[in-house]
Amino acid sequence: MDLSYILNELGEERQNYYNAVAPPILQTSNFACKTVADMRYMLQHEPEVHLYTRGNNPTVTILEKKVAALEGAEHAIAFGSGIAAVSAAVLSQVNAGDHIVCVRKPYTWTNALMQRFLPRFGVDVTMVDGTDTINYSNAIKPNTRLLYMESPNSYTFELQDIAAVVAVAKQNNCTTIIDNSYASPLHQNPLQFGVDLVLHSCTKYIGGHSDVMGGIVCGTREMINKIFEREFMTLGAVMSPHDAWLLIRGLRTLPVRMERIAASTRKVVSCLEQHPKVDKVYFPFSPAHPQYALAMRQMRNNSGQFTITLKTDNINQVEAFCDSLQHFLMAASWGGHESLIFPIAASYTEGALKPNLPLNLVRFYVGLEDPDYLIKDLEQALEHIKT
Ligand SMILES: *Cc1c(COP(=O)(O)O)cnc(C)c1O
């Protein structure tokens, strides 16, 4: 299917709404039937028909069709946030007494799900260094049901060899889930490598403007319908029609945004890699990165996130650098129009336990600004680091 067709036409039935170019926001909780026979049909055919917006809604359905097609999936189901998509996908694959192998250092709340939430319900999780697939195979137990990936992962952007992890899963009768938010559905399509469920935080690149939250899970019709009947309908983390509409609007420009972000990020990274005040840059698309060949093999392009460590152990200098940036906002998240930093130093208060990551580590996201405008800002801020 052509990318242009997916983003501009697929799922849109304009003849049903006055040939409006933009889809309507069907802000309704329920859908009426004329006869008992109609209602009986609706009750029997959910989710193919529209009955109640906690189940499905036509505006949300348009988004689901488009993202499913972008991932090469049969079907997709949208949620009110990325973490709702993570939780529903994971819960759909396990029962009490089961075991999961999960990549180490995933997104913060995925980590909380794995380490604090699931053990309360009798699901045991082993966290592994995903840079070597052998760590996944070594962690397999007789009750392992699920191998969970996030490639690249959060903060340090380490890759898992997706095809190799899938092979381990298949040998051991396990399913696989990957959080594909970093790459967006344009830069990596894990279903091609045999992954069972692919999910995104739509809040990031799909929305693209820092004004909406959402999540989505893609897979076979059978697996998605099973999630619909159980986790989705029971936990109720539903996406609103208005948010789906904003995400459809975000999708229209996803290719141009990703292209701009990819090129700008490479420019900013190569400047930082040569800078004497920067210790290390974590970016899998640098030829010097140990996983560069794997990145080139399983991804189409880089995205806007990377991390640096500054050439200082002095937290005051790290803070001075961050505080003096004029054009990078300091905030959580990424994927919007605006460039961001997230300093690990912010998760540390004096006297408290040090975080797992070094205090001189700063995560970056490059947005849609002119890269030279951002580089100039970085250069002035780096003067606060005295080596
Ligand atoms: C932000 C994020 C999530 C969670 O998404 P929300 O929309 O904030 O709930 C999940 N995975 C990754 C990799 C993320 O960056």
Side-chain angles (χ1 to χ4, degrees):
M1 232 183 277
D2 287 333
L3 180 59
S4 297
Y5 171 74
I6 296 171
L7 299 182
N8 296 291
E9 294 159 66
L10 177 69
E12 305 190 54
E13 297 169 17
R14 295 186 172 115
Q15 71 285 0
N16 292 343
Y17 36 82
Y18 308 100
N19 295 310
V21 171
I25 302 169
L26 282 161
Q27 192 70 34
T28 182
S29 58
N30 48 3
F31 299 83
C33 311
K34 278 217 160 64
T35 63
V36 174
D38 280 354
M39 191 157 198
R40 188 176 296 123
Y41 181 89
M42 297 253 278
L43 289 168
Q44 280 169 355
H45 289 81
E46 219 189 358
E48 277 77 45
V49 294
H50 296 103
L51 172 73
Y52 190 54
T53 283
R54 178 156 49 72
N56 62 13
N57 172 284
T59 312
V60 181
T61 303
I62 296 173
L63 175 74
E64 291 168 339
K65 285 187 174 163
K66 287 182 188 293
V67 179
L70 291 176
E71 283 292 3
E74 271 174 27
H75 206 25
I77 189 168
F79 292 83
S81 70
I83 196 62
V86 172
S87 302
V90 169
L91 288 170
S92 75
Q93 297 306 307
V94 289
N95 292 307
D98 288 345
H99 174 246
I100 298 173
V101 186
C102 177
V103 66
R104 194 184 290 166
K105 292 185 280 173
Y107 171 68
T108 311
W109 295 99
T110 303
N111 197 48
L113 171 75
M114 297 289 177
Q115 307 230 55
R116 300 207 299 270
F117 188 97
L118 290 171
R120 288 171 43 212
F121 299 92
V123 176
D124 186 24
V125 184
T126 307
M127 310 294 286
V128 296
D129 172 355
T131 57
D132 192 342
T133 309
I134 195 82
N135 297 325
Y136 270 98
S137 5
N138 287 345
I140 302 260
K141 300 182 192 181
N143 59 338
T144 306
R145 291 285 165 270
L146 170 66
L147 308 188
Y148 188 93
M149 293 175 269
E150 184 182 302
S151 183
N153 70 347
S154 298
Y155 294 107
T156 46
F157 306 120
E158 289 150 350
L159 275 61
Q160 295 102 69
D161 182 333
I162 301 169
V165 174
V166 166
V168 171
K170 292 210 161 49
Q171 274 159 23
N172 293 281
N173 256 332
C174 300
T175 52
T176 44
I177 299 177
I178 188 167
D179 183 333
N180 201 28
S181 304
Y182 170 101
S184 89
L186 298 188
H187 290 175
Q188 177 169 272
N189 293 128
L191 292 174
Q192 285 176 349
F193 304 109
V195 171
D196 294 303
L197 292 171
V198 175
L199 61 90
H200 288 274
S201 165
C202 300
T203 312
K204 312 292 167 57
Y205 287 121
I206 294 174
H209 295 77
S210 300
D211 54 9
V212 59
M213 304 205 72
I216 197 157
V217 183
C218 309
T220 61
R221 190 163 291 276
E222 190 188 344
M223 283 183 91
I224 298 299
N225 283 348
K226 203 171 129 201
I227 295 174
F228 174 84
E229 283 160 23
R230 303 187 337 170
E231 290 73 23
F232 183 75
M233 288 305 281
T234 309
L235 300 175
V238 59
M239 174 181 283
S240 78
H242 184 252
D243 288 348
W245 185 87
L246 283 168
L247 293 165
I248 294 164
R249 188 166 76 153
L251 280 180
R252 311 278 194 211
T253 57
L254 184 63
V256 281
R257 286 187 285 110
M258 294 311 289
E259 204 178 307
R260 162 86 170 181
I261 288 165
S264 301
T265 304
R266 286 196 301 272
K267 194 164 181 186
V268 172
V269 163
S270 74
C271 161
L272 289 172
E273 280 175 336
Q274 286 154 30
H275 201 286
K277 307 289 177 67
V278 175
D279 178 41
K280 196 174 159 191
V281 182
Y282 297 76
F283 183 64
F285 279 78
S286 291
H289 191 279
Q291 294 186 300
Y292 178 68
L294 177 60
M296 297 303 281
R297 194 162 82 233
Q298 68 186 17
M299 300 176 72
R300 282 187 208 101
N301 207 347
N302 64 283
S303 300
Q305 307 96 297
F306 65 90
T307 293
I308 65 170
T309 43
L310 293 160
K311 217 170 243 175
T312 179
D313 290 328
N314 182 333
I315 191 168
N316 294 325
Q317 287 187 21
V318 174
E319 289 190 28
F321 163 76
C322 295
D323 294 352
S324 59
L325 283 166
Q326 301 292 305
H327 304 310
F328 286 83
L329 300 180
M330 206 182 298
S333 197
W334 41 262
H337 55 90
E338 76 292 8
S339 293
L340 299 172
I341 60 162
F342 188 98
I344 290 299
S347 44
Y348 174 69
T349 43
E350 223 178 311
L353 213 62
K354 289 213 167 155
N356 286 335
L357 293 162
L359 294 180
N360 60 352
L361 191 146
V362 183
R363 184 185 71 190
F364 279 81
Y365 164 68
V366 171
L368 298 174
E369 303 91 336
D370 182 340
D372 293 326
Y373 176 74
L374 298 173
I375 287 169
K376 218 181 281 169
D377 192 26
L378 286 165
E379 279 171 346
Q380 65 78 21
L382 281 165
E383 283 170 22
H384 292 269
I385 309 294
K386 313 283 179 217
T387 50

